[in-house]
Amino acid sequence: MSRINKNVVLALLTLTSSAFLLFQLYYYKHYLSTKNGAGLSKSKGSRIGFDSTQWRAVKKFIMLTSNQNVPVFLIDPLILELINKNFEQVKNTSHGSTSQCKFFCVPRDFTAFALQYHLWKNEEGWFRIAENMGFQCLKIESKDPRLDGIDSLSGTEIPLHYICKLATHAIHLVVFHERSGNYLWHGHLRLKEHIDRKFVPFRKLQFGRYPGAFDRPELQQVTVDGLEVLIPKDPMHFVEEVPHSRFIECRYKEARAFFQQYLDDNTVEAVAFRKSAKELLQLAAKTLNKLGVPFWLSSGTCLGWYRQCNIIPYSKDVDLGIFIQDYKSDIILAFQDAGLPLKHKFGKVEDSLELSFQGKDDVKLDVFFFYEETDHMWNGGTQAKTGKKFNIQICQ
């Protein structure tokens, strides 16, 4: 009797162990290998990649835009990062010569491209051809904020985003529009009531959660996974812009209400000052961007933008703010090289630093440095005439 019991126990243990081993193999194959990219040889992985729905969607989209002369360029952050890490390999790859899908086959729901709208000549015809190729396309439009200051035109809608789906993979085409500061802007992707929320997983989109603004990128053509595509000449600069690209539109409605109560100054002097101040602001922004120093509008310049969407004509200067931890010792030299000599320097790096530079037409640039404490931040100031020092605290 005891011998039979032992055999039964051994059989049960063997069966249990086998079942557990099979479960481990199944889990590894279907979860860990997919997550970590393990378990696939290079040759097998590349063959599966080129045969995937994702690859076919990207290839068809690039063929479509190329044949229709639609100048799209790749802005997908993950793919741009991979290209940047392997740039020498990408640069030396010729069209159609690759045997491995290394970039466009990274598992994802979307691949993001962009288009400068003023360069698109045949929008409607492109859509018809896309649908004939098997794409399902969705067009997102909204009011043009550039016309908000003109009451009669403020209802004009412009295209902001296109999403074209082929089977289970979608191409997100972000539409960039030119803005007056020589930068590119894209709008918020807002779904209207009639749009099917299940068309694609919208929450996974990398662009469109909010309006964004980017420097106008210089483009270059490269071969990626055997396909010729345009990418920003400095891929990482574009990628680094993405988390800081949120654009806050001016409050045109409130500005109009302000000018109904207080007349705008449109004298020759005021117009000339605003023009000079904006040119100075653009020069300062270009200089600080070259240094990699983040900044923001401060004091009277910020108030003018927030309250009346413009430079306050009687302020006579331009004000910028910078966190002290972003201070660089070559800031003064960089401004001087840009044609803005140092006029005043107050305080020191560890306490109440303020720099003042002289622009053209007697317009001054004041740079205030902000210091962060545990529960607040502050910046110091000094009156040029009296030398009197003061601090301004800002609650966080």
Side-chain angles (χ1 to χ4, degrees), residues 13-61:
L13 288 173
T14 302
L15 184 63
T16 304
S17 299
S18 300
F20 182 69
L21 179 61
L22 289 172
F23 172 76
Q24 285 183 312
L25 290 173
Y26 176 85
Y27 180 80
Y28 178 81
K29 180 180 179 181
H30 290 274
Y31 292 93
L32 294 182
S33 62
T34 302
K35 183 178 180 181
N36 299 324
L40 294 173
S41 66
K42 287 186 177 180
S43 60
K44 188 175 181 181
S46 61
R47 186 165 64 251
I48 290 173
F50 281 125
D51 289 341
S52 68
T53 301
Q54 179 171 321
W55 163 253
R56 290 198 300 271
V58 173
K59 183 180 180 180
K60 273 193 171 185
F61 177 78

Side-chain angles (χ1 to χ4, degrees), residues 64 68 70 115 117 120 122-140 159 161-164 173 175:
L64 171 62
Q68 297 298 311
V70 182
L115 168 78
Y117 188 66
W120 200 352
N122 186 24
E123 178 185 352
E124 295 302 324
W126 184 89
F127 265 105
R128 287 195 298 270
I129 297 173
E131 290 174 352
N132 290 336
M133 293 178 68
F135 284 101
Q136 294 176 276
C137 292
L138 178 67
K139 179 180 180 180
I140 308 294
H161 298 267
Y162 298 89
I163 297 175
C164 291
L173 182 57
V175 182

Side-chain angles (χ1 to χ4, degrees), residues 188-331:
H188 187 189
L189 196 158
R190 282 196 177 96
L191 297 180
K192 297 183 179 180
E193 291 183 3
H194 67 278
I195 293 177
D196 180 8
R197 264 64 174 172
K198 296 180 181 179
F199 180 66
V200 290
F202 290 101
R203 291 181 180 275
K204 295 184 180 181
L205 287 172
Q206 294 174 288
F207 298 89
R209 296 175 187 173
Y210 44 75
F214 292 84
D215 295 333
R216 188 187 301 271
E218 186 178 351
L219 302 177
Q220 62 179 331
Q221 183 169 288
V222 295
T223 299
V224 180
D225 292 337
L227 300 173
E228 291 184 355
V229 294
L230 289 172
I231 66 169
K233 196 166 186 178
D234 186 349
M236 286 314 297
H237 176 72
F238 185 89
V239 171
E240 289 164 0
E241 280 190 286
V242 173
H244 307 290
S245 64
R246 184 163 190 163
F247 183 86
I248 301 175
E249 197 69 56
C250 184
R251 308 187 320 154
Y252 297 106
K253 182 178 179 181
E254 289 78 1
R256 284 196 291 270
F258 176 82
F259 286 123
Q260 286 176 357
Q261 186 173 1
Y262 305 97
L263 292 178
D264 193 8
D265 186 352
N266 289 315
T267 62
V268 174
E269 293 78 9
V271 171
F273 168 74
R274 282 174 169 154
K275 180 176 182 296
S276 297
K278 290 176 181 177
E279 290 174 353
L280 176 58
L281 183 57
Q282 288 184 348
L283 180 58
K286 183 178 179 181
T287 304
L288 291 171
N289 285 335
K290 279 185 178 180
L291 291 174
V293 175
F295 66 94
W296 61 89
L297 300 183
S298 181
S299 307
T301 305
C302 182
L303 173 62
W305 175 83
Y306 179 80
R307 186 181 65 187
Q308 56 209 70
C309 296
N310 213 329
I311 303 287
I312 299 174
Y314 54 80
S315 60
K316 304 305 179 187
D317 59 16
V318 171
D319 302 310
L320 298 182
I322 297 175
F323 282 120
I324 194 62
Q325 60 263 32
D326 294 319
Y327 171 80
K328 293 186 177 180
S329 58
D330 52 352
I331 282 181

Side-chain angles (χ1 to χ4, degrees), residues 59-181:
K59 183 180 180 180
K60 273 193 171 185
F61 177 78
I62 292 175
M63 288 174 54
L64 171 62
T65 54
S66 176
N67 292 338
Q68 297 298 311
N69 295 316
V70 182
V72 302
F73 56 98
L74 182 69
I75 60 169
D76 196 291
L78 177 58
I79 300 178
L80 288 180
E81 285 185 23
L82 290 173
I83 290 174
N84 189 68
K85 289 178 182 177
N86 301 273
F87 193 71
E88 287 302 317
Q89 175 189 341
V90 171
K91 189 170 63 173
N92 296 323
T93 301
S94 57
H95 176 61
S97 66
T98 185
S99 61
Q100 182 180 8
C101 185
K102 185 174 182 180
F103 304 97
F104 286 126
C105 292
V106 177
R108 60 210 294 103
D109 295 295
F110 296 91
T111 302
F113 289 83
L115 168 78
Q116 294 185 48
Y117 188 66
H118 71 283
L119 299 176
W120 200 352
K121 305 302 181 185
N122 186 24
E123 178 185 352
E124 295 302 324
W126 184 89
F127 265 105
R128 287 195 298 270
I129 297 173
E131 290 174 352
N132 290 336
M133 293 178 68
F135 284 101
Q136 294 176 276
C137 292
L138 178 67
K139 179 180 180 180
I140 308 294
E141 293 181 303
S142 191
K143 187 173 64 174
D144 189 345
R146 297 170 298 178
L147 302 177
D148 258 357
I150 309 173
D151 291 330
S152 60
L153 296 176
S154 61
T156 302
E157 291 202 336
I158 55 174
L160 300 178
H161 298 267
Y162 298 89
I163 297 175
C164 291
K165 183 174 70 169
L166 185 68
T168 57
H169 191 72
I171 304 297
H172 181 194
L173 182 57
V174 182
V175 182
F176 281 123
H177 295 270
E178 295 184 310
R179 298 294 289 248
S180 58

Side-chain angles (χ1 to χ4, degrees), residues 288 293-302 317-327 331 335 344 346 348-349 352-357 364-371 377-384 390-392 394:
L288 291 171
V293 175
F295 66 94
W296 61 89
L297 300 183
S298 181
S299 307
T301 305
C302 182
D317 59 16
V318 171
D319 302 310
L320 298 182
I322 297 175
F323 282 120
I324 194 62
Q325 60 263 32
D326 294 319
Y327 171 80
I331 282 181
F335 275 116
H344 298 296
F346 300 113
K348 43 192 176 182
V349 174
S352 306
L353 181 64
E354 177 190 345
L355 302 176
S356 182
F357 300 92
K364 187 163 57 79
L365 171 68
D366 290 330
V367 181
F368 299 96
F369 289 87
F370 287 72
Y371 298 75
M377 71 175 89
W378 60 275
N379 75 289
T382 306
Q383 289 183 338
F390 57 90
N391 287 345
I392 300 174
I394 305 170

